[in-house]
């Protein structure tokens, strides 16, 4: 049953979806082709991200998952000092490295809850109830800088020393969205 590489690869994928794993020997026998021909077919499937070669055979590729320690928006590391966690109505959860990326990530999403770290105390606080300082002289990762404070008094004290504008959740999100869409990402 010799066939074109694309036809063999299509059948291999169909069988993999049914069986989850196949051996090189059974594929050689099924198609009546050499070991080398099967390896070339499998290499093409691996390169396309559809399959993974294992000793003596092949399996379906495992779905790629985002690294939870990296920001969904900019891929920078998520830290305790500025971390932002979003839970969607769908049950999906993702993180952002800072309120800048977190607020932008929330746009157009069905949010169940969102928490971010208080910049001074590193305690998680409700995003909707937080106070933000935008464009202070402290730039930890993304620009323009957006830092979160669970208490307005702390935001005012921080602003006195490091500048910036104080904003509520709604004000910060609108301002950042306008800046982002006007100037582009990061």
């Amino acid at each position: 049953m010799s066939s074109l590489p694309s036809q063999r690869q299509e059948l291999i994928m169909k069988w993999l979806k049914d069986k989850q794993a196949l051996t090189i020997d059974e594929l050689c026998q099924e198609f009546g082709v050499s070991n080398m021909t099967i390896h070339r077919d499998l290499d093409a499937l691996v390169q396309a991200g559809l399959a993974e070669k294992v000793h003596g055979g092949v399996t379906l590729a495992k779905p790629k998952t985002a690294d939870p320690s990296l920001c969904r928006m900019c891929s920078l590391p998520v830290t305790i000092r500025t971390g932002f966690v979003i839970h969607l109505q769908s049950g999906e959860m993702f993180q952002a490295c800072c309120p800048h990326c977190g607020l932008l990530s929330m746009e157009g999403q069905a949010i169940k809850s969102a928490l971010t770290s208080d910049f001074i105390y590193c305690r998680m606080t409700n995003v909707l109830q937080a106070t933000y300082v935008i464009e202070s002289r402290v730039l930890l990762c993304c620009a323009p800088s957006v830092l979160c404070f669970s208490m307005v008094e702390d935001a005012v004290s921080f602003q006195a020393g490091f500048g910036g504008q104080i904003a509520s959740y709604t004000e910060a999100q609108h301002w950042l969205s306008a800046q982002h869409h006007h100037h582009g990402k990061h």
Side-chain angles (χ1 to χ4, degrees):
M1 175 188 179
S2 188
S3 56
L4 296 172
S6 61
Q7 293 170 329
R8 286 191 306 270
Q9 292 164 20
E10 191 175 316
L11 275 172
I12 291 169
M13 287 308 300
K14 182 180 180 298
W15 295 335
L16 273 177
K17 288 175 185 168
D18 291 338
K19 295 183 176 184
Q20 304 300 309
L22 300 166
T23 68
I24 303 289
D25 290 340
E26 69 184 321
L27 290 171
C28 290
Q29 188 175 355
E30 187 66 42
F31 290 115
V33 295
S34 72
N35 193 306
M36 216 44 213
T37 298
I38 292 300
H39 276 283
R40 281 193 293 271
D41 287 339
L42 297 181
D43 287 342
L45 294 172
V46 168
Q47 193 167 16
L50 300 171
E52 290 182 19
K53 280 177 129 180
V54 294
H55 183 71
V58 63
T59 63
L60 276 175
K62 293 174 187 70
K64 303 284 187 231
T65 56
D67 183 339
S69 67
L70 299 179
C71 178
R72 180 182 190 183
M73 187 123 183
C74 72
S75 299
L76 288 174
V78 175
T79 67
I80 192 167
R81 188 109 192 242
T82 58
F84 202 102
V85 180
I86 299 169
H87 293 268
L88 300 179
Q89 294 289 345
S90 66
E92 181 185 1
M93 187 275 295
F94 61 89
Q95 296 189 83
C97 62
C98 63
H100 170 114
C101 288
L103 292 171
L104 288 173
S105 295
M106 291 175 67
E107 288 182 358
Q109 300 286 339
I111 307 294
K112 182 176 181 180
S113 68
L115 300 170
T116 189
S117 185
D118 178 284
F119 183 69
I120 295 174
Y121 304 107
C122 298
R123 290 187 299 245
M124 295 308 275
T125 188
N126 184 315
V127 167
L128 302 176
Q129 297 168 344
T131 301
Y132 300 87
V133 175
I134 301 168
E135 289 193 305
S136 72
R137 289 190 306 275
V138 176
L139 180 61
L140 298 179
C141 52
C142 302
S145 172
V146 180
L147 301 173
C148 171
F149 299 86
S150 54
M151 297 188 318
V152 176
E153 299 81 16
D154 290 336
V156 170
S157 295
F158 184 86
Q159 179 197 35
F162 296 98
Q165 305 168 47
I166 293 180
S168 67
Y169 160 77
T170 304
E171 294 165 338
Q173 191 171 48
H174 288 301
W175 183 87
L176 190 56
S177 181
Q179 292 296 310
H180 177 72
H181 294 299
H182 183 260
H183 296 296
K185 292 184 181 179
H186 307 309

